[in-house]
Amino acid sequence: MQEVMYGITYTKPQVVLLQDTGIGVAETAARTCYDSFSNSENSVIQNLEKDLPTQDMCALLNEIEDSALLEDLAWTYFHHSILEHANLSYLIRGTSRGVLQEHARHRIQAISVRSTRYTMSGIINAFVAAHHGGDREFFIDTVAGYDMFVTADSDYNRLEIGAMYDKLELQRKRVDDFHAIAVAKSSLPLLEEFAGDAPKLYEALQNGKKKRNVGDAFKHIITDNVKVDMVVTFNLRSLKNYFTLRDSGAAYFQIRWLAQEMMRVTPKKYLDLIIKQKQEK
């Protein structure tokens, strides 16, 4: 899905809910606080008053869809620490590095992000090939095929890629041996073997051994516009804070899109405990 903002077309992120722990543990924690297991509308929690749970009981616990106590604690008594016992994990594809900077400010989360240190080799290979039989346009055409930006405007993206080329060219002129920091030692003979044939050299470099940590020398060339993939895990209390702040007209529009897509895939039993308008419907 795409949307135009301020004259530029952007793609929106995709989100999949990978796992959720259920709300049964959160109610169990609350019932433990108040020693009120017998008051639950869920029979499996009633049984916890006298019995330790079996594996079958734990499975039933995680299938609970509603809890009157949790709703009271969430919306009447604001006892939100109980919500920390529920966790949700999301796979996020195609948000931006700019969003990542905003997202990382939410500290109570686990986050794993696609690393530019290990995933920039194709860009560098295209630049190397451009200097061995290709040119600036070869580099731009090649990198344009990566679909690496959240912007979906071809003309704009070619400007971005051209700027990447110019930064690399400046760096190439300043270092003593550019190939030493750009190409794996075992792939250096390919430069002579395919000299003058940029497409074949690029293909050979792509199929050869990659320079380890190649991004360390070249991360400076990419902008906040580059796509980022990540897996994030929130507890429900932190997710409430995230949605409150990021599904807001005051939020950066790209992170608002992400929050809205995360909300879309979040089951109702969680939203009812953290989103007021959802709970009132």
Side-chain angles (χ1 to χ4, degrees):
M1 184 179 293
Q2 299 180 350
E3 186 166 332
V4 177
M5 295 293 294
Y6 310 112
I8 304 296
T9 303
Y10 293 84
T11 56
K12 292 187 174 183
Q14 297 175 302
V15 178
V16 174
L17 180 67
L18 294 177
Q19 68 88 25
D20 58 294
T21 59
I23 60 174
V25 174
E27 182 179 343
T28 301
R31 294 292 178 190
T32 299
C33 290
Y34 300 111
D35 195 16
S36 61
F37 293 97
S38 61
N39 294 335
S40 178
E41 71 271 35
N42 296 297
S43 59
V44 65
I45 290 183
Q46 293 174 12
N47 293 333
L48 292 178
E49 185 168 24
K50 296 181 179 179
D51 300 321
L52 287 174
T54 64
Q55 287 299 311
D56 288 342
M57 292 172 68
C58 289
L60 291 173
L61 195 68
N62 292 330
E63 293 175 2
I64 289 174
E65 293 293 325
D66 293 291
S67 170
L69 176 60
L70 290 182
E71 289 196 9
D72 282 345
L73 293 177
W75 300 113
T76 303
Y77 301 105
F78 303 105
H79 187 175
H80 293 149
S81 63
I82 295 300
L83 301 179
E84 295 178 13
H85 292 283
N87 293 275
L88 301 93
S89 298
Y90 302 87
L91 170 64
I92 297 167
R93 291 270 171 86
T95 191
S96 71
R97 281 166 56 89
V99 167
L100 175 61
Q101 293 179 33
E102 299 279 334
H103 187 94
R105 294 174 183 171
H106 294 265
R107 294 172 181 82
I108 307 178
Q109 62 170 310
I111 179 171
S112 300
V113 184
R114 184 176 187 268
S115 172
T116 50
R117 293 187 72 199
Y118 300 102
T119 58
M120 286 187 66
S121 58
I123 297 171
I124 306 308
N125 290 340
F127 180 79
V128 171
H131 275 272
H132 291 267
D135 55 17
R136 191 172 186 270
E137 287 303 303
F138 172 84
F139 176 83
I140 293 174
D141 290 340
T142 301
V143 177
Y146 290 172
D147 187 28
M148 64 180 293
F149 302 112
V150 292
T151 44
D153 186 311
S154 176
D155 291 337
Y156 183 91
N157 289 347
R158 291 183 73 85
L159 289 174
E160 281 255 9
I161 299 168
M164 291 164 58
Y165 180 93
D166 294 341
K167 294 174 189 177
L168 288 170
E169 180 63 12
L170 176 66
Q171 186 174 10
R172 185 187 68 84
K173 293 177 179 178
R174 289 188 173 182
V175 297
D176 293 333
D177 187 352
F178 183 82
H179 292 152
I181 62 174
V183 180
K185 186 178 294 186
S186 61
S187 294
L188 288 174
L190 299 174
L191 304 183
E192 183 175 347
E193 180 179 353
F194 296 102
D197 192 334
K200 286 187 177 180
L201 174 57
Y202 170 74
E203 182 180 0
L205 290 172
Q206 287 290 85
N207 292 330
K209 185 176 180 180
K210 306 298 188 294
K211 179 73 174 179
R212 187 180 180 188
N213 299 344
V214 68
D216 287 357
F218 303 114
K219 286 178 71 170
H220 66 87
I221 70 170
I222 59 177
T223 69
D224 288 349
N225 201 28
V226 169
K227 286 182 177 179
V228 165
D229 298 338
M230 55 187 175
V231 172
V232 299
T233 299
F234 282 93
N235 71 58
L236 195 53
R237 186 183 193 182
S238 294
L239 193 63
K240 173 183 173 65
N241 173 260
Y242 184 84
F243 287 163
T244 298
L245 295 178
R246 300 309 187 176
D247 183 31
S248 161
Y252 176 44
F253 67 88
Q254 286 190 40
I255 201 169
R256 184 168 65 248
W257 291 342
L258 176 55
Q260 290 169 348
E261 189 62 15
M262 290 171 65
M263 288 174 62
R264 188 187 67 80
V265 301
T266 299
K268 180 178 182 297
K269 63 184 176 184
Y270 301 107
L271 294 179
D272 283 347
L273 298 175
I274 62 174
I275 306 296
K276 188 66 175 177
Q277 65 265 29
K278 301 289 183 184
Q279 194 267 345
E280 289 176 343
K281 288 183 180 178

